[in-house]
Amino acid sequence: MMGPTLGPVLKVLAQLAILLLLAPLVTGLIKLLKARLQMRRGPGMLQPYRDLYKLLRKGMVIPHTASWLFSATPYVVFSATLLAGLMVPTVAAETPIGLFGGVLAMVYLLGLGRFFLALGGLDTGSSFGGLGSSREMTIAALAEPTLMLAVFTVAIGAGSTTLAEMARAAIGQQWRFLAPSQILAFAALFLVLIAETGRIPVDNPATHLELTMIHEAMILEYSGPYLALIEWGASIKQLLLMTLLINVFWPFGLPQVWSASGLFTGLGWLLLKLFLLSCGIVLVETTNAKMRLFRVPELMATAFVLGALALVSTFLL
Amino acid sequence: MGGLIAYLAGAVAGLAGLGAPRRPHRQARSRVEKSLCHWAFGLALAGALLEAAAAAAAIGQPAAATWSLPFGVPFFSWTVRLNALSAYFNLALGVLSAAVSIYSLGYVRGMEGRRNAGVLGFFYNILLLSLTLVFTAANAFFFLVAWEVMALSAYCLVSFEHEKEETRRAGIVFLIMSHAGTGLLLIAFLMLGQAGGTLDFAAWHHLASRLPAWEQGTVFVLFLLGFGVKAGIIPLHVWLPAAHPVAPSNISALMSGIVIKTGIYGMALVFFDFFAIPPMWAGMVVLGVGVVSALLGVLYALMEHDLKRLLAYHSIENIGIILIGFGAALVFRALGHPALAAIALIAGLYHTMNHAIFKGLLFLGAGSVLHATHTRNMEEMGGLIRRMPVTALCFLVGSIAISGLPPLNGFVSEWLTYQALLGGFGSTQKLARVVFPIAGALLALTAALAAACFVKAFGISFLALPRSEKAAEARETALSMRIGMGILAAGCVALGLGATWFLPIFDPITEQTMGGRFSAMLIAGNGFVLSAGTPRGGTVSTAEIAAMLVLLTALPGLFWLVWGRSSRRAAGPTWDCGLPGLTADNQYTATGFSKPIRMIFSALYRPRREIQAEYEVSPYYPTAIHFESEIEPTFEKRVYDPFLEWLLRVSRRLRAVQAGSIHAYLAYIFLALIALLLFGVRG
């Protein structure tokens, strides 16, 4: 069944291709599902690709006030997110560059991207940029401890912070995700996913109403290819967080190592599970209204408590 | 031994700088003073370089080198020793002070004609010398002498701009708290001295663990508090955010970079050398103090818009992170996991070095900004990235490093700290299994808040439009100042990317304290990869992360080549909602940036704000708005003020004893004598 395992460079290239090509698809899928659930026709699933293609070819306007940092930001965000993506198991438990960093490096690379994005928002001199940066950093700071607690809970079970080891440990115990600690950790991570990807009820990715937006406010001044890089980076970040959730908690059909034949079965399972998780996100987005900004800390506190309970229940139950 | 001689030569070179700048008097502000002042910092630089070299040489040597000055009185010897631990702290001191000395050459030029920079040079050299001696003193007596010289010279440097009320007050608070700490240390040293019969540090190896349990506890707490004052742990931190900002910026860099590390050195000496295995609760206390200091430090930092005060609060945060490492190491020792204890200790010590480098860099950067704009208030800065590109780049490097983001040095030590904490999960001790992950989560919160804080610090000060005329006219600083910052920025990169080359430096230290060499365990793969030390543990490679980041940037470049070449790049105005023109007033302020945090943690801050609008026709069309916002200084108000009041009340009552009658005083002396005699006879 297993073909020959792939060489390291091939693995990196394959994973890059998966991340780059799949990320806009998932964004499109969520948009489409959401539209259908709300009885709208909605744009086609391939719309994000068309958007990216168009943005990459368009001209751009750089604000007078901006410095070199404004122009460097899209590159840093894009490559840091992509590199973080290389550390996550996608179609096999093995990661292409697992030795370079585990879940901690992944979280901190996303943090690096966010750091620059927030600076890029401030660099424009507009109040929207500052507003977005301030809120983004605050919410990220509140989500961070929960993310870590949930990750630690899984890491305790696996005895490692390497994502490949965590996925492998999950493969070994297919039904472990039903254990109370894992359910709680999953719930906590799901809330973090909602917050980190800027979805309702934390942020609304569809709005450009000034007072409610966070992520969109921060990148308001970006246009053309720079905007394409940032949007692409954001959808890759969403994909990698979803993949992390999927492969650490539901590793059904996940092969141990990369191989030519395993690639396609792994990809098939990944697509199926991404579809299911997207349905969950869409349900949450459709049945909730966006929260006031100062209600978000309560949501994050709930997530933190869930994470703490998950941790405690690994010892008690 | 050769290293020790070179280091002493360095110290003497520093000493030679002392006398020189004293001579010119205030009226003789001439070229003589200028050149002498440069001599002082030049000699300090030479001393620092020699010291760094000597420390680097000594760190690999198996036995501690000792050297006694040939004078002294019985029981008290002037002996220095250079073992692995003191060599490590001397290395940090040497590297930092070399960069700061270069920076000072340009920095003091701004003082010419205004004040006597020679005095600054004099105390600067004294401070460096006393720091070296604190790190190398071989007995308690000499240590305390050096400790006091350090405190006094630091006091003189902090109070350098003494014409300001704020500075004088900060200096006095620093002096009082520092001496209170020394008092506690004195008691602890005397207790150990009585138990060991000697004041020699070498003879105190594992001595504290042979004491009875309650004495162990007392000694431990006394040392923690005594050294904690200097390190700035919460709640003993109040002097730190007052004193560090008012000092000249090159001194602030030394204060935050290395002076507070003397407290960390003292704790390392006590926790890992004087104690064999401290009790479990001690480790938990240190861990708790670390977590509280880290979190509250960064939360208070977020509320500051005085750039230097913000940095000072971050020193408290980073001391907390170091103590998380130390606390974990103590707990692991108590639980009997020497390898995990070694990782935790290495994490703490690595962060000590990192903090010295990046906080020194940030304070120097803040100094350059202060030099150029004459203000510490971030709300009056902005747009400096164009006016001062080198300073901005260096400050950005420091900001990334202190936020613990890869691939710079802050990430490496925080990663090691996480791995050490994760190691506690496998332990059988119930409490440790819950406490360690929670500590890890709070460390994550601290790091994320620190990132938010430095987005604010860098973004508000350096980006967008200048918020004041002074900022709009700022000029890039002198070459020597840029070189000083550049060295430290390069240090941040080197300690980040070259982590695996730096780790073997800890081998002699862990051998001295834990009896084993552990660095090989932490290096995996092709020599660029850090490992958690356990077979399935996490790995990370900052060097390869950096390489991959650069490689992946080629990808957007490719897109640009394929599609983007024909696209136009135009400069346009920022979106201003259609109102006439964007001004600096439209920008987000530092106060505004941290407002969400202030709201969320209002239980801690207890913010107070006052808005007064002046209007002529209708309140909806104000002509001017007065806005005032402040947070409650909780510790000052709830801990220190009541204590101070109590102290004053007690002193007032005690005044009755001091009646002014010589007969009464003679009676006191007599009674005291009798009491002492009785005590002596009984003993």
Side-chain angles (χ1 to χ4, degrees):
Chain A
M1 181 197 142
M2 294 263 181
T5 55
L6 304 174
V9 178
L10 260 180
K11 277 188 248 176
V12 169
L13 289 178
Q15 176 121 341
L16 278 180
I18 291 173
L19 288 169
L20 287 171
L21 295 179
L22 207 55
L25 187 74
V26 173
T27 308
L29 176 74
I30 292 178
K31 269 190 187 149
L32 183 71
L33 285 173
K34 203 166 140 188
R36 289 296 149 88
L37 196 64
Q38 297 167 355
M39 307 289 275
R40 292 185 283 120
R41 263 189 71 194
M45 216 159 67
L46 302 181
Q47 189 58 39
Y49 294 104
R50 288 183 214 120
D51 289 345
L52 286 180
Y53 181 64
K54 191 170 180 186
L55 282 175
L56 280 172
R57 288 157 53 95
K58 280 190 96 151
M60 57 182 162
V61 181
I62 311 262
H64 291 304
T65 49
S67 65
W68 60 266
L69 201 89
F70 182 82
S71 308
T73 294
Y75 294 97
V76 176
V77 172
F78 187 75
S79 55
T81 315
L82 212 49
L83 183 57
L86 287 179
M87 294 166 182
V88 176
T90 49
V91 297
E94 187 192 4
T95 48
I97 52 164
L99 209 56
F100 289 11
V103 68
L104 293 172
M106 187 206 87
V107 170
Y108 276 80
L109 275 171
L110 293 180
L112 180 70
R114 189 189 308 122
F115 187 85
F116 271 85
L117 211 50
L119 286 181
L122 281 171
D123 201 13
T124 61
S126 125
S127 353
F128 296 124
L131 174 149
S133 303
S134 157
R135 293 178 177 179
E136 174 95 358
M137 294 311 286
T138 307
I139 290 175
L142 296 178
E144 198 95 333
T146 312
L147 178 61
M148 283 296 175
L149 265 188
V151 163
F152 287 165
T153 309
V154 184
I156 294 172
S160 174
T161 58
T162 312
L163 281 164
E165 284 293 337
M166 284 157 81
R168 258 182 222 132
I171 291 175
Q173 301 159 282
Q174 291 281 4
W175 296 101
R176 199 184 53 158
F177 74 92
L178 286 178
S181 69
Q182 302 291 306
I183 292 177
L184 289 166
F186 183 86
L189 264 187
F190 187 77
L191 290 179
V192 170
L193 171 74
I194 297 275
E196 286 274 329
T197 53
R199 302 212 153 264
I200 295 174
V202 175
D203 187 10
N204 188 350
T207 186
H208 274 86
L209 182 67
E210 290 95 347
L211 294 177
T212 54
M213 59 188 177
I214 300 174
H215 183 81
E216 296 295 323
M218 198 165 53
I219 62 172
L220 197 65
E221 291 298 323
Y222 281 102
S223 56
Y226 284 170
L227 183 62
L229 288 181
I230 289 177
E231 295 284 8
W232 208 345
S235 58
I236 292 171
K237 178 179 168 187
Q238 169 177 294
L239 173 68
L240 80 89
L241 285 174
M242 286 171 75
T243 318
L244 175 76
L245 211 61
I246 287 169
N247 281 338
V248 168
F249 289 99
W250 312 325
F252 300 107
L254 188 70
Q256 286 277 4
V257 291
W258 281 75
S259 62
S261 59
L263 197 80
F264 290 100
T265 45
L267 198 59
W269 277 104
L270 179 66
L271 284 174
L272 180 69
K273 288 182 280 187
L274 279 174
F275 178 78
L276 287 176
L277 190 58
S278 302
C279 289
I281 291 175
V282 166
L283 265 178
V284 170
E285 279 216 286
T286 307
T287 51
N288 283 285
K290 191 191 166 301
M291 279 180 168
R292 273 175 51 216
L293 181 70
F294 288 107
R295 298 296 296 276
V296 173
E298 292 169 22
L299 184 74
M300 290 294 102
T302 314
F304 186 79
V305 171
L306 284 175
L309 284 177
L311 180 82
V312 173
S313 57
T314 50
F315 310 125
L316 302 183
L317 299 172
Chain B
M1 196 61 209
L4 188 64
I5 292 167
Y7 134 71
L8 277 168
V12 172
L15 258 176
L18 308 182
R22 283 290 281 174
R23 264 171 263 144
H25 288 289
R26 255 179 222 127
Q27 59 270 42
R29 283 184 193 125
S30 58
R31 302 182 67 165
V32 184
E33 185 200 1
K34 189 170 153 190
S35 70
L36 282 175
C37 182
H38 282 183
W39 266 99
F41 288 107
L43 284 174
L45 170 65
L49 287 176
L50 277 173
E51 184 175 342
I59 215 158
Q61 284 177 7
T66 54
W67 195 78
S68 293
L69 283 182
F71 53 86
V73 280
F75 305 114
F76 303 127
S77 67
W78 306 79
T79 310
V80 294
R81 65 166 182 173
L82 199 59
N83 60 14
L85 190 66
S86 46
Y88 180 71
F89 278 86
N90 267 318
L91 182 65
L93 170 64
V95 173
L96 179 67
S97 55
V100 174
S101 301
I102 296 178
Y103 179 91
S104 303
L105 290 175
Y107 187 78
V108 293
R109 218 174 291 159
M111 295 179 182
E112 265 161 36
R114 287 196 298 124
R115 52 179 77 249
N116 190 351
V119 176
L120 188 72
F122 172 74
F123 285 116
Y124 179 85
N125 276 304
I126 295 264
L127 178 66
L128 288 187
L129 183 67
S130 61
L131 279 166
T132 318
L133 293 178
V134 164
F135 290 142
T136 49
N139 58 56
F141 161 73
F142 194 28
F143 181 88
L144 282 176
V145 171
W147 187 261
E148 274 305 288
V149 173
M150 174 184 78
L152 290 174
S153 56
Y155 165 72
C156 294
L157 288 167
V158 166
S159 319
F160 185 64
E161 292 170 9
H162 52 80
E163 68 282 353
K164 292 181 202 138
E165 168 70 27
E166 181 198 4
T167 310
R168 286 200 299 273
R169 201 181 143 67
I172 292 291
V173 171
F174 166 64
L175 198 64
I176 291 173
M177 292 203 62
S178 180
H179 276 96
T182 311
L184 298 179
L185 289 183
L186 191 62
I187 301 172
F189 277 136
L190 285 177
M191 282 175 79
L192 280 183
Q194 200 189 19
T198 167
L199 292 176
D200 239 359
F201 282 166
W204 285 4
H205 186 63
H206 291 185
L207 172 72
S209 287
R210 292 197 289 273
L211 296 173
W214 71 269
E215 270 186 47
Q216 268 191 43
T218 316
V219 167
F220 189 90
V221 170
L222 285 173
F223 274 127
L224 180 65
L225 294 177
F227 286 126
V229 169
K230 192 63 87 189
I233 60 171
I234 286 178
L236 305 174
H237 67 286
V238 288
W239 66 271
L240 198 153
H244 287 196
V246 297
S249 297
N250 52 346
I251 305 306
S252 309
L254 275 190
M255 293 282 287
S256 257
I258 200 77
V259 172
I260 60 173
K261 302 296 161 36
T262 55
I264 294 296
Y265 169 74
M267 287 190 205
L269 195 65
V270 172
F271 297 168
F272 302 104
D273 193 23
F274 296 172
F275 276 92
I277 292 176
M280 176 82 175
W281 60 264
M284 287 292 179
V285 166
V286 174
L287 189 64
V289 165
V291 170
V292 169
S293 300
L295 196 55
L296 290 186
V298 71
L299 280 173
Y300 280 119
L302 269 160
M303 290 306 116
E304 284 301 332
H305 45 79
D306 174 332
L307 191 53
K308 286 178 75 177
R309 267 178 82 89
L310 180 146
L311 293 176
Y313 272 116
H314 271 287
S315 295
I316 298 172
E317 175 222 335
N318 282 285
I319 288 293
I321 295 176
I322 294 168
L323 288 186
I324 291 176
F326 278 14
L330 289 173
V331 173
F332 285 133
R333 288 190 102 188
L335 292 173
H337 299 298
L340 286 174
I343 296 176
L345 175 63
I346 289 174
L349 288 175
Y350 205 127
H351 202 74
T352 307
M353 175 71 83
N354 288 342
H355 181 245
I357 305 280
F358 57 60
K359 186 50 70 63
L361 169 61
L362 289 167
F363 262 117
L364 295 187
S368 296
V369 171
L370 178 61
H371 198 83
T373 62
H374 302 290
T375 177
R376 302 198 315 243
N377 186 355
M378 285 159 60
E379 316 281 28
E380 294 174 22
M381 297 173 190
L384 297 175
I385 193 169
R386 264 178 298 271
R387 312 282 310 182
M388 311 169 71
V390 178
T391 307
L393 185 66
C394 291
F395 200 91
L396 180 64
V397 169
S399 302
I400 295 175
I402 197 173
S403 305
L405 294 171
L408 298 186
N409 57 353
F411 173 71
V412 177
S413 44
E414 283 188 24
W415 187 86
L416 284 170
T417 312
Y418 280 121
Q419 292 299 342
L421 291 174
L422 274 160
F425 299 174
S427 97
T428 46
Q429 222 265 356
K430 277 258 162 60
L431 184 63
R433 283 169 70 167
V434 177
V435 166
F436 277 23
I438 299 277
L442 292 179
L443 178 60
L445 178 62
T446 305
L449 287 172
C453 193
F454 275 92
V455 166
K456 171 178 115 170
F458 185 80
I460 303 288
S461 318
F462 286 93
L463 298 180
L465 293 170
R467 286 155 217 269
S468 69
E469 228 159 82
K470 287 177 282 187
E473 286 160 10
R475 280 215 319 262
E476 182 60 286
T477 47
L479 182 66
S480 57
M481 291 164 79
R482 278 176 277 161
I483 292 176
M485 289 187 285
I487 291 173
L488 292 178
C492 287
V493 177
L495 282 173
L497 303 191
T500 46
W501 290 313
F502 188 67
L503 277 175
I505 228 174
F506 296 104
D507 274 342
I509 301 176
T510 49
E511 197 160 36
Q512 180 193 333
T513 53
M514 315 259 177
R517 306 171 83 87
F518 294 93
S519 76
M521 186 179 83
L522 290 171
I523 302 168
N526 51 8
F528 289 106
V529 179
L530 280 170
S531 143
T534 48
R536 291 195 308 159
T539 52
V540 77
S541 167
T542 40
E544 283 161 35
I545 282 179
M548 285 296 283
L549 277 177
V550 173
L551 267 181
L552 286 174
T553 313
L555 206 61
L558 195 71
F559 299 147
W560 187 81
L561 274 182
V562 177
W563 293 303
R565 258 189 310 181
S566 55
S567 73
R568 280 179 315 112
R569 248 178 102 112
T574 304
W575 169 239
D576 51 11
C577 296
L579 294 169
L582 188 81
T583 64
D585 292 340
N586 293 89
Q587 296 179 108
Y588 236 53
T589 58
T591 314
F593 190 90
S594 49
K595 169 105 188 192
I597 306 269
R598 190 160 56 245
M599 299 270 288
I600 292 165
F601 295 96
S602 58
L604 168 73
Y605 297 131
R606 297 166 193 276
R608 184 189 69 78
R609 68 175 186 165
E610 202 174 296
I611 304 172
Q612 286 173 342
E614 286 167 26
Y615 58 89
E616 277 160 14
V617 187
S618 143
Y620 299 107
Y621 296 97
T623 50
I625 296 178
H626 174 80
F627 176 82
E628 219 180 274
S629 159
E630 66 172 12
I631 60 164
E632 182 193 287
T634 308
F635 286 99
E636 284 84 343
K637 192 170 158 188
R638 310 212 167 226
V639 181
Y640 285 87
D641 285 355
F643 175 70
L644 208 63
E645 236 166 70
W646 175 82
L647 202 66
L648 285 177
R649 238 192 357 258
V650 171
S651 337
R652 228 171 285 134
R653 200 143 320 147
L654 278 179
R655 210 157 49 186
V657 179
Q658 215 172 16
S661 143
I662 196 149
H663 304 295
Y665 294 157
L666 282 174
Y668 296 152
I669 293 170
F670 182 67
L671 285 175
L673 203 63
I674 299 278
L676 277 176
L677 276 173
L678 282 176
F679 185 74
V681 168
R682 194 193 57 112

